[in-house]
Amino acid sequence: MARTIKVNYLARVEGEGALTIRFKGDKPSAVELRIFEPPRFFEAFLRGRAYLEVPDIVARICGICPVAYQMSACHAIEDALGIRTDGTLRALRRLLYCGEWIESHGLHVFMLHAPDFLGYEDAIAMAKDHREWVTRGLGIKKAGNAIVAALGGREIHPINVKVGGFYRVPTRTELSVLLPALETALGDAEMCLDWAAQFEFPAFERDYEYVALRHADEYPFCEGRIVSNKGLDIDLHAYEEHFAELQVPHSTALHSVVRGRSDYQCGPLARFNLNFDRLGERARDAAERVEFVPPCRNVYKSLLARMVEIIQAFDEAIRIIHGYAPPDAPAIAVTPRMATGHGCTEAPRGMLWHKYTLDETGLVEDARIVPPTSQNQKCIEQDLWQLAPTLAAMPHAAATRRAEQAVRNFDPCISCSTHFLRLAIERED
Amino acid sequence: MPTRKKKPKLAVFKFASCDGCQLSLLDCEDELLVLADAVRIASFAEASSRVLRGPYDISLVEGSITTPHDAERIREVRAQSRVLVTIGACATAGGVQALRNFRDVKEFARIVYARPEYIDTLATSTPIANHVKVDYELRGCPIDKRQLLAVLSALLSDRKPSIASHSVCVQCKLRGNVCVMVAHGTPCLGPVTHAGCGALCPTYHRGCYGCFGPAETTNTGGLEWALVAAGASHEDIARTYATFNAAAPPFRRAQEEQLVQIRPKEGRRG
């Protein structure tokens, strides 16, 4: 019997995508994650723009993770201009990123993904039976947003991020007033991890290549080498030598592969597996308490990795705020020059790589951006190929829900993924 | 008091956008569950798998029209909507995507895609109001969630929403900010930019970059000398107008006024 699982408009993901799995008998014959979000040409828009405008423009790639775009852009441009933010400015950037991880992960865990595990069509329906958990989730998300708003000016498309630092640094009071809410939300997050650990996780494992940044002594945000569990360990400048992007007809986003191998996974579960030893005590203890430890090859448990990262981000945010004293200047002075720079940071959904070439006045000559969702796209399709035989044995409606849940494991940000890079068609040997 | 009246249906639709404006609704953490009690969320793909059929009492529309398919889809949305509210710079002015309007989109597709023939896109990014009748507009890149809540609560209580159309300068004064342009010589689009953000950029010691688009009455010619006095070149000013509301007519005109002053110089050089 020929049958097709088809979702014409994926819900509870950011952006516009569709899913088709075709079967011949019990065997899948085609799996397509179709991204039909209109193409958004950001790399072309960036040409001719001044380097100071870049953080504001790239933020508009994604309303959910604008900070990630701003951070990767700043680091890449600072790399080109030969400067490094250190000390307090670096700590403030980590703090801002903590806020974004919390709000983005909080949105995904409580509003987009948990309803799959508990059998609801959305968090609002879920709140009728589980109001206290949805309320805690909203509280967690709000606390993350409060950090971004205090430091960045507003939650979506923050205005305070500048190449070299910030336009204005906060006073001690502007940050310390956040502490009570952060302490409460941290406690709530620990409870929520215990709660989520009891979800029924479908038995599904795959031997993934996990790719993430790894830093000498921190859980990765803005810096580190690009590593994988299959032996990759490279400087971010060598990214293009080791990764390739392929265009496929059914998607306005590009597929990424590790050269010479195949699909890979980036994002919270990759970071967790590769950097468990870099977690703070509080997050590590919480994970061990619910027996969530690496290696974890069940991608449905990415939800738990997000919860652990929420705990990590709260813990780190509180530590940064306690140790904060305003620096002398809000930003390092910058002089434009002709150069190329690279930046790679860990967006909530995974590694986000940027490269810019500037002219001698600081105008962008060329930009290249590789967002996490296009990196994960092929990995999502591979998951669905492997899941397909299980789906074939399920009733149609349940199979469709399970397939959508599998896509949501990656928290795909489809809007993000459709503004890609310039690429060459690569032949994989 | 319990009411027997059927709750109004709220729908959220997305066109070309970053999802940020509809996210503003989910960022109303304190009000979300209360709002969900007051309406039936009939269609909101980012947040729910549930899709109820139209017609809808209130439709929020995010994003601009950039594909032939979306130009059709917005007509269907309009036909199903009693009140249609556009949210954000993309929906009200074409957004950052409207930068393509002044360039060769085929060239853009070649820059970004190895196989541009797979890509179906229009040469322009246009606001929703160019395609269908719009009842209310909320400005901003992104919108301000307090303004969104104000509009929704007005519509839900059958009041006409009232959104201030003055400039960012007024909000700066209300906030007690020192003027960044007068005091620090920082170029600022505040005098010609629509209010709504709460004068955020000047509060953070930087000049406004116009993300809420043009205010109701603008004097961009009058602002020019102040920007030049603050050290901005005509190129700088032109670029600043050409960002998130580049195709909004007053900003488009202001950009062209600057470009005219640059071109003769280029001619001399050539």
Side-chain angles (χ1 to χ4, degrees):
Chain A
M1 184 190 71
R3 94 182 238 210
T4 304
I5 292 177
K6 204 164 179 184
V7 181
N8 286 327
Y9 199 118
L10 283 163
R12 279 182 280 134
V13 298
E14 294 94 13
E16 303 184 274
L19 174 66
T20 306
I21 307 175
R22 269 186 218 98
F23 292 91
K24 271 191 189 141
D26 287 345
K27 292 219 165 65
S29 60
V31 171
E32 286 184 357
L33 177 65
R34 287 190 297 120
I35 290 189
F36 56 85
E37 174 90 22
R40 291 166 67 227
F41 310 118
F42 272 95
E43 286 146 326
F45 297 152
L46 284 164
R47 291 189 176 183
R49 307 301 304 212
Y51 71 99
L52 279 173
E53 299 173 311
V54 175
D56 297 324
I57 293 173
V58 295
R60 269 68 184 185
I61 292 169
C62 180
I64 296 104
C65 60
V67 170
Y69 282 88
Q70 296 187 323
M71 291 295 117
S72 286
C74 283
H75 279 259
I77 292 169
E78 288 159 12
D79 181 47
L81 300 180
I83 59 163
R84 261 183 84 84
T85 50
D86 255 319
T88 309
L89 290 177
R90 182 174 184 276
L92 284 176
R93 281 190 171 168
R94 282 180 78 79
L95 176 62
L96 184 65
Y97 227 144
C98 285
E100 177 160 289
W101 275 25
I102 295 164
E103 63 83 12
S104 174
H105 282 354
L107 174 75
H108 189 258
V109 167
F110 295 95
M111 313 209 65
L112 311 185
H113 212 198
D116 280 332
F117 290 89
L118 299 173
Y120 296 94
E121 54 200 4
D122 56 40
I124 287 156
M126 195 170 92
K128 293 202 167 52
D129 302 322
H130 302 276
R131 192 157 186 120
E132 76 280 21
W133 295 108
V134 174
T135 307
R136 278 192 194 103
L138 287 169
I140 286 167
K141 184 168 158 306
K142 185 182 173 186
N145 269 332
I147 296 174
V148 181
L151 196 49
R154 61 183 169 201
E155 301 88 337
I156 302 164
H157 305 335
I159 50 88
N160 194 23
V161 172
K162 186 182 185 185
V163 172
F166 294 89
Y167 287 90
R168 177 171 82 76
V169 288
T171 62
R172 281 184 77 135
T173 316
E174 282 174 311
L175 294 185
S176 61
V177 292
L178 301 173
L179 283 170
L182 298 182
E183 297 278 5
T184 305
L186 171 56
D188 282 352
E190 287 169 328
M191 284 167 63
C192 289
L193 174 64
D194 295 350
W195 168 69
Q198 294 163 25
F199 290 174
E200 197 181 307
F201 294 95
F204 176 85
E205 294 204 340
R206 204 154 73 77
D207 183 21
Y208 296 101
E209 175 154 13
Y210 287 114
V211 178
L213 290 180
R214 184 164 167 85
H215 185 267
D217 42 42
E218 293 167 339
Y219 201 72
F221 272 112
C222 291
E223 288 167 292
R225 290 175 68 77
I226 298 171
V227 304
S228 89
N229 55 329
K230 307 260 179 189
L232 194 73
D233 182 358
I234 58 165
D235 186 88
L236 62 97
H237 294 85
Y239 174 88
E240 288 166 303
E241 294 159 35
H242 295 270
F243 295 87
E245 284 75 38
L246 314 158
Q247 192 184 355
V248 293
H250 63 263
S251 175
T252 50
L254 303 171
H255 281 196
S256 286
V257 293
V258 179
R259 286 180 198 268
R261 286 198 289 274
S262 182
D263 64 295
Y264 61 97
Q265 185 184 144
C266 60
L269 195 57
R271 288 191 293 259
F272 175 85
N273 275 312
L274 294 165
N275 291 287
F276 184 75
D277 58 343
R278 299 291 189 263
L279 283 170
E281 216 177 295
R282 194 112 181 215
R284 208 167 52 230
D285 285 355
E288 281 170 348
R289 195 174 59 241
V290 298
E291 294 172 1
F292 176 53
V293 289
C296 172
R297 295 192 183 85
N298 184 341
V299 67
Y300 290 90
K301 292 192 175 174
S302 63
L303 182 139
L304 298 182
R306 284 187 193 93
M307 278 312 309
V308 170
E309 289 193 335
I310 287 174
I311 295 168
Q312 171 71 17
F314 273 127
D315 185 37
E316 173 142 9
I318 291 167
R319 215 168 335 117
I320 292 170
I321 293 175
H322 276 301
Y324 176 67
D328 295 334
I332 300 171
V334 190
T335 318
R337 66 177 186 189
M338 194 191 301
T340 295
H342 305 72
C344 188
T345 73
E346 285 286 350
R349 287 154 195 78
M351 215 164 71
L352 170 59
W353 187 86
H354 288 213
K355 174 182 164 187
Y356 298 94
T357 299
L358 306 178
D359 73 9
E360 67 283 356
T361 62
L363 297 182
V364 175
E365 282 187 342
D366 192 44
R368 193 175 162 205
I369 296 171
V370 186
T373 292
S374 64
Q375 298 181 66
N376 277 333
Q377 206 181 188
K378 190 171 170 67
C379 187
I380 300 173
E381 287 190 355
Q382 291 304 117
D383 274 10
L384 292 167
W385 278 104
Q386 186 174 318
L387 189 63
T390 315
L391 298 177
M394 293 168 79
H396 190 76
T400 305
R401 280 198 301 274
R402 175 63 58 81
E404 286 185 79
Q405 182 181 11
V407 174
R408 282 186 207 111
N409 284 329
F410 291 82
D411 187 9
C413 186
I414 293 172
S415 314
C416 263
S417 65
T418 56
H419 51 89
F420 341 101
L421 22 145
R422 177 172 11 180
L423 67 145
I425 295 286
E426 302 278 343
R427 267 181 223 292
E428 288 299 303
D429 303 313
Chain B
M1 199 179 72
T3 164
R4 288 186 182 279
K5 205 179 142 195
K6 245 190 162 183
K7 289 181 191 170
K9 278 189 190 171
L10 174 72
V12 182
F13 296 99
K14 174 192 157 66
F15 291 83
S17 67
C18 76
D19 286 54
C21 291
Q22 53 177 318
L23 180 68
S24 301
L25 190 56
L26 298 177
D27 276 355
C28 298
E29 288 99 358
D30 291 334
E31 299 87 2
L32 187 64
L33 294 179
V34 179
L35 177 69
D37 284 338
V39 297
R40 280 182 295 162
I41 296 183
S43 181
F44 186 4
E46 187 179 13
S48 177
S49 310
R50 177 161 68 160
V51 183
L52 302 180
R53 290 165 61 148
Y56 308 108
D57 296 285
I58 305 170
S59 290
L60 302 177
V61 175
E62 172 192 277
S64 60
I65 303 301
T66 62
T67 66
H69 173 251
D70 279 355
E72 283 304 309
R73 191 161 62 95
I74 188 59
R75 290 178 199 287
E76 292 160 27
V77 168
R78 176 68 262 189
Q80 293 292 319
S81 308
R82 193 169 65 82
V83 176
L84 191 154
V85 184
T86 49
I87 55 170
C90 296
T92 58
V96 68
Q97 291 301 315
L99 291 174
R100 74 177 71 183
N101 298 7
F102 321 118
R103 307 265 287 275
D104 177 5
V105 76
K106 283 187 185 148
E107 174 61 26
F108 278 11
R110 274 195 298 275
I111 289 173
V112 177
Y113 295 97
R115 303 289 299 270
E117 68 273 20
Y118 292 167
I119 301 300
D120 190 16
T121 188
L122 293 172
T124 54
S125 167
T126 43
I128 302 300
N130 284 22
H131 301 265
V132 297
K133 178 177 171 282
V134 169
D135 299 297
Y136 299 100
E137 289 190 334
L138 265 187
R139 304 290 197 82
C141 181
I143 55 166
D144 182 86
K145 69 179 181 185
R146 289 155 297 194
Q147 287 198 335
L148 176 63
L149 284 172
V151 166
L152 286 176
S153 53
L155 292 174
L156 290 173
S157 48
D158 291 325
R159 269 190 295 116
K160 192 173 177 238
S162 155
I163 298 294
S165 59
H166 51 236
S167 74
V168 168
C169 283
V170 175
Q171 292 198 304
C172 242
K173 301 296 170 287
L174 287 169
R175 207 161 167 160
N177 286 341
V178 171
C179 177
V180 294
M181 194 143 61
V182 171
H184 307 294
T186 305
C188 180
L189 291 192
V192 296
T193 299
H194 198 283
C197 65
L200 266 186
C201 286
T203 307
Y204 281 76
H205 300 178
R206 70 179 291 194
C208 165
Y209 59 82
C211 70
F212 270 65
E216 197 168 63
T217 49
T218 58
N219 180 2
T220 51
L223 180 61
E224 182 188 322
W225 71 265
L227 295 173
V228 170
S233 68
H234 293 298
E235 287 90 340
D236 295 336
I237 301 171
R239 277 202 320 275
T240 311
Y241 282 119
T243 53
F244 311 113
N245 293 277
F251 278 12
R252 177 63 189 151
R253 272 197 303 276
Q255 189 202 347
E256 278 168 354
E257 281 159 17
Q258 300 303 312
L259 293 174
V260 165
Q261 300 184 60
I262 302 164
R263 276 177 197 136
K265 272 188 274 170
E266 281 176 352
R268 277 202 299 278
R269 247 186 262 146

